[in-house]
Amino acid sequence: MLKKFLTAILAVTFIFTISSGANVEARSLWSDNQWGMFADKKARDVGDILTIIISESTTQTATKSRSNSKSGSTTLNAGTGIFHFLAAAGASGSDSFTANGSASDTNSFSGQITVTVVEVLPNDNMIVEGTQSIWQNKDEHRITLRGIVRRADVRANNTVLSSRVADATLKFDGKGPLNAKQRQGILTQIFNFLF
């Protein structure tokens, strides 16, 4: 009895669906515009954010050495005849120059900054830009980063190494009482400019 009842319900539902002319549309399980439960949530569109892991170090060393020397001598014999009053004379001289110099500069910085995709280029590369400000005791320390990131370089955790950012501009600056004390005064700047 139950079997006949279920068969009748299925038959009525099938007939109703066919007679109503309902459009049945097949859709893909994957969508490029929506995040699914297991989607790869890496930045790819304008407005998406990603984290740049900054690990930069530079070392520059220069050594220069120069030397130059010269010497000369002149001898004048005693005069004879009417020039007998000239006594024998001699002169010599030498000059030497030596200079040595060296310079070494090492910089390193590590940290993280989260940036926003501001433009997607036709080749799917992304232009990213972001600023991070940290305030401490009325002093502001600001990090600004701008560059181009390939989508292939974005890792699964939505991070990119700073060494993978093309045309990168990384700027560190700040303002406040402490930063102001580290700048030369106006009179010192004028003096350095003139001399």
Side-chain angles (χ1 to χ4, degrees):
M1 178 83 171
L2 180 62
K3 200 176 205 184
K4 289 183 181 180
F5 178 71
L6 290 174
T7 305
I9 288 178
L10 285 174
V12 170
T13 304
F14 180 71
I15 292 171
F16 178 75
T17 302
I18 292 175
S19 64
S20 66
N23 292 331
V24 178
E25 185 179 332
R27 293 190 180 181
S28 173
L29 295 174
W30 306 103
S31 174
D32 290 336
N33 298 325
Q34 297 178 356
W35 299 115
M37 183 183 299
F38 302 105
D40 189 6
K41 299 183 179 180
K42 297 192 291 188
R44 57 185 172 185
D45 295 318
V46 173
D48 289 349
I49 61 172
L50 59 94
T51 301
I52 306 293
I53 299 175
I54 302 170
S55 180
E56 298 290 334
S57 63
T58 59
T59 301
Q60 180 180 356
T61 303
T63 302
K64 293 183 179 180
S65 177
R66 292 182 180 172
S67 62
N68 183 18
S69 64
K70 63 180 180 178
S71 62
S73 63
T74 303
T75 304
L76 182 63
N77 294 325
T80 58
I82 60 170
F83 299 107
H84 63 82
F85 59 90
L86 294 176
S92 65
S94 64
D95 185 17
S96 64
F97 169 77
T98 303
N100 294 312
S102 64
S104 179
D105 188 13
T106 302
N107 295 303
S108 63
F109 182 80
S110 60
Q112 296 183 1
I113 180 172
T114 300
V115 296
T116 305
V117 178
V118 295
E119 185 180 350
V120 178
L121 301 175
N123 61 356
D124 282 341
N125 288 345
M126 302 175 292
I127 297 178
V128 297
E129 184 175 1
T131 300
Q132 182 181 40
S133 293
I134 301 171
W135 286 87
Q136 181 181 16
N137 295 332
K138 298 183 181 180
D139 282 311
E140 180 188 17
H141 306 280
R142 187 169 52 242
I143 305 169
T144 303
L145 186 140
R146 181 179 172 87
I148 301 173
V149 174
R150 292 189 319 155
R151 285 185 178 169
D153 290 332
V154 180
R155 299 194 288 186
N157 60 353
N158 203 36
T159 61
V160 178
L161 295 175
S162 61
S163 59
R164 297 289 184 183
V165 180
D167 296 332
T169 301
L170 190 57
K171 182 179 178 184
F172 303 97
D173 61 0
K175 61 183 179 180
L178 183 60
N179 287 301
K181 293 295 183 185
Q182 294 178 350
R183 296 188 185 99
Q184 292 180 337
I186 187 69
L187 294 176
T188 305
Q189 293 180 28
I190 292 173
F191 183 80
N192 290 336
F193 177 76
L194 294 176
F195 302 102

